Amino acid sequence: MKNREWHKEKIVSIDFDGVLSQYNGWEGEDITGKPIKGAKEFILRLIESGYKPVVFTTRNPELISSWLNEFGFPDIEVTNTKYPSLVYIDDRCVKFDGDFSKLDSDLKDYDVYWRKKDNRIFDSLKDSKK
């Protein structure tokens, strides 16, 4: 990983699938959705406000760079490396607030917005011993 001065660069790391691109679950490396409404404008606002948006993805960065170009996004960095950042924007995250006993219930309540709500991902998580 490059040595980055992320706080000076004001890096904002943004996930691709489910954040910039419509997503309904994995369908293959080359299958990407259309941009989510407002995504390009959000990236532009970040840039105009002095932040450096960086797309992070588990996909091939060249594929995602081509997608961004195809849909008229500004030329921004794409990586499969998680850089230190001011913030991470991701559809698959649970914010940890320092309390592991609360984290148990947060995980049980967790789901991604695009997933069919037939069952929760962490239904089988055992309760914490208090």
Side-chain angles (χ1 to χ4, degrees):
M1 181 169 91
K2 296 189 251 180
N3 186 14
R4 305 285 304 250
E5 293 193 55
W6 58 271
H7 56 289
K8 290 181 182 176
E9 290 182 78
K10 296 169 71 173
I11 293 175
V12 174
S13 289
I14 305 167
D15 184 34
F16 177 73
D17 289 308
V19 178
L20 297 179
S21 160
Q22 295 173 359
Y23 187 71
N24 293 308
W26 184 254
E27 296 177 20
E29 176 67 29
D30 296 332
I31 308 298
T32 54
K34 302 279 188 217
I36 292 177
K37 183 179 178 180
K40 182 175 15 175
E41 294 78 11
F42 177 72
I43 296 292
L44 289 169
R45 281 196 313 277
L46 284 174
I47 293 168
E48 290 168 0
S49 300
Y51 296 92
K52 179 183 175 97
V54 172
V55 178
F56 72 95
T57 182
T58 58
R59 293 180 183 264
N60 179 326
E62 291 176 9
L63 172 79
I64 302 311
S65 291
S66 294
W67 183 95
L68 292 167
N69 185 53
E70 175 185 346
F71 289 104
F73 281 75
D75 184 24
I76 59 176
E77 184 176 354
V78 179
T79 183
N80 54 12
T81 300
K82 185 176 181 181
Y83 291 137
S85 301
L86 297 173
V87 68
Y88 301 92
I89 301 172
D90 197 333
D91 60 315
R92 291 182 179 261
C93 61
V94 174
K95 182 179 177 184
F96 180 63
D97 68 0
D99 182 353
F100 278 100
S101 64
K102 183 178 177 301
L103 188 59
D104 289 350
S105 64
D106 290 346
L107 282 174
K108 285 186 176 185
D109 291 338
Y110 167 80
D111 213 343
V112 291
Y113 74 89
W114 49 261
R115 189 172 182 271
K116 292 182 178 60
K117 305 297 183 198
D118 51 355
N119 63 344
R120 298 272 183 206
I121 295 170
F122 290 97
D123 279 346
S124 62
L125 182 68
K126 297 183 186 299
D127 289 330
S128 66
K129 308 272 191 237
K130 294 185 181 185

